[in-house]
Amino acid sequence: MITLYEGAFAKINLTLDVLGKRADGYHDIKSVMQTISLRDDIEIDLGTGKAWSLLCDKEGIPTDSTNLAWKAAEVFFGATGKDPDGLQIRITKRIPVEAGLGGGSADAAAVLRALNRHYEMPLSLPALAELGARVGSDVPFCVLCGTATVEGRGDRIRRMPDMPDCIFVVCKPDFSVSTPELYRELDEKVIGKRPDHQAMERAFLSGDLEQIVTNVYNVFDPIVTEAHLELNYIKSIMNSYGAVGMQMTGSGSAVFGICSNFENAAVICNMLRGNYPLVYIAKPV
């Protein structure tokens, strides 16, 4: 039996725009995404000689073939024709669920990377990301990691310069948001403000953190905040104690603050933790 190990990194959306509904029922999006050091850990046993299984240390996570990590293993072995002779996946969960942080997608991407490396890279990284699109919309980006502009259903990815040095504080309040319902609500609204992706790209090309922060924007944020005003409270704490920018990620409900130094991030974390136990400090990766 062989055991593989891989980190599964959370993502945040520095920008997120919804461009319209597609014929297949999904929506086209455009987003600048960033992976951060908040991570799950994935272990994969190959050659167990037993039926496939999945274990997770957090209750409520699917442990059958509906889990994206399991699906990732299925598509990998289906595409490559390899036979693991039994498999077990173990997930140590740290990324909050239903937060807009891509935890399930990150787990799936980690499975793809670990298996591809073990079998001596039968797939190039772009091909592995393309395979990930069969599992979920955020999986291709999570395969690649780093900083990128993501378009379409998440399948068109263009690398961006690295994020300048900064520290993220991520806070997950105790409510979650239905992503399908949020998309339906957005379809019925006129989007008054959209992120300026050209300005964001110029900011990254210049490595200017101040300008990057100025252009952070998510079209879902006002809708979720209108229904859950505590997001404004979280942002106000972040702003009051030194964050240079703050925004909800994905379809929520986690909020991230961007700090230029660790000291401010630590203070924000301490100020929020009394009311919100799911608060994390992370770096861009």
Side-chain angles (χ1 to χ4, degrees), residues 51-53 60 77 80 85 108 110 126 130 139 152 174 176 182 256-257 266 274 278 282:
W52 285 25
S53 62
F77 290 114
T80 61
D85 185 28
E130 187 175 335
V139 177
D174 60 1
S176 298
L182 192 55
F256 64 89
L278 300 180

Side-chain angles (χ1 to χ4, degrees), residues 6-12 33-44 67-70 72 89-96 100-114 128 132 135-145 285:
E6 188 76 13
F9 295 97
K11 63 86 185 169
I12 59 170
M33 295 188 185
Q34 174 68 53
T35 43
I36 61 175
S37 57
L38 174 60
R39 58 183 264 185
D40 295 343
D41 283 327
I42 306 297
E43 299 176 53
I44 306 170
N67 189 293
L68 296 186
W70 186 308
I89 300 170
R90 295 185 296 280
I91 303 174
T92 301
K93 198 78 184 152
R94 299 185 189 90
I95 303 171
L101 294 165
S105 297
D107 295 344
V111 168
L112 291 174
R113 286 197 305 270
L128 197 67
V135 181
S137 297
D138 286 337
V139 177
F141 170 75
C142 290
V143 166
L144 299 173
C145 294
V285 294

Side-chain angles (χ1 to χ4, degrees), residues 28 50 62 68 74 85 110 127 135 159 175 177 206 220 225 245 250 274:
D28 280 320
K50 301 177 182 179
L68 296 186
E74 285 182 331
D85 185 28
V135 181
R159 289 281 196 184
F175 71 89
V177 181
S206 66
F220 285 131
T225 300

Side-chain angles (χ1 to χ4, degrees), residues 2-281:
I2 297 171
T3 302
L4 313 180
Y5 302 90
E6 188 76 13
F9 295 97
K11 63 86 185 169
I12 59 170
N13 299 84
L14 295 170
T15 64
L16 179 55
D17 197 3
V18 178
L19 304 178
K21 196 169 184 178
R22 301 155 48 111
D24 60 9
Y26 291 93
H27 289 75
D28 280 320
I29 62 103
K30 187 169 185 178
S31 176
V32 175
M33 295 188 185
Q34 174 68 53
T35 43
I36 61 175
S37 57
L38 174 60
R39 58 183 264 185
D40 295 343
D41 283 327
I42 306 297
E43 299 176 53
I44 306 170
D45 290 340
L46 300 175
T48 64
K50 301 177 182 179
W52 285 25
S53 62
L54 187 148
L55 303 174
C56 183
D57 66 342
K58 182 177 176 62
E59 292 184 4
I61 302 296
T63 56
D64 57 14
S65 61
T66 63
N67 189 293
L68 296 186
W70 186 308
K71 290 182 179 181
E74 285 182 331
V75 300
F76 178 86
F77 290 114
T80 61
K82 307 290 186 182
D83 180 5
D85 185 28
L87 175 147
Q88 183 178 84
I89 300 170
R90 295 185 296 280
I91 303 174
T92 301
K93 198 78 184 152
R94 299 185 189 90
I95 303 171
V97 299
E98 299 180 329
L101 294 165
S105 297
D107 295 344
V111 168
L112 291 174
R113 286 197 305 270
L115 292 174
N116 199 48
R117 185 176 62 249
H118 171 72
Y119 289 103
E120 299 182 344
M121 310 296 281
L123 299 172
S124 67
L125 202 57
L128 197 67
E130 187 175 335
L131 190 64
R134 301 186 197 175
V135 181
S137 297
D138 286 337
V139 177
F141 170 75
C142 290
V143 166
L144 299 173
C145 294
T147 314
T149 296
V150 179
E151 299 183 72
R153 266 193 64 194
D155 54 340
R156 302 203 307 273
I157 302 172
R158 182 165 50 85
R159 289 281 196 184
M160 297 275 283
D162 291 342
M163 183 86 182
D165 285 343
C166 63
I167 303 291
F168 295 103
V169 179
V170 179
C171 178
K172 167 66 171 71
D174 60 1
F175 71 89
S176 298
V177 181
S178 166
T179 300
E181 288 182 13
L182 192 55
Y183 272 104
R184 282 194 292 271
E185 188 171 350
L186 191 69
D187 287 338
E188 298 172 358
K189 291 181 177 288
V190 175
I191 300 175
K193 180 182 177 182
R194 296 180 183 272
D196 186 339
H197 285 100
Q198 288 185 334
M200 181 62 92
E201 184 162 345
R202 290 194 298 269
F204 267 97
L205 289 171
S206 66
D208 188 333
L209 181 62
E210 183 178 343
Q211 285 302 309
I212 289 171
V213 168
T214 298
N215 287 287
V216 165
Y217 190 72
N218 178 352
V219 295
F220 285 131
D221 186 295
I223 299 174
V224 178
T225 300
E226 184 178 3
H228 301 277
L229 292 177
E230 66 180 297
L231 293 190
N232 278 336
Y233 170 75
I234 294 170
K235 292 174 196 172
S236 70
I237 293 295
M238 291 178 170
N239 181 62
S240 296
Y241 292 95
V244 292
M246 61 288 305
Q247 183 69 57
M248 188 184 77
T249 180
S251 56
S253 59
V255 174
F256 64 89
I258 304 174
C259 300
S260 57
N261 60 73
F262 179 83
E263 289 75 16
N264 286 347
V267 171
I268 292 168
C269 193
N270 287 335
M271 294 302 297
L272 287 170
R273 191 156 279 159
N275 293 321
Y276 303 101
L278 300 180
V279 183
Y280 310 87
I281 294 177

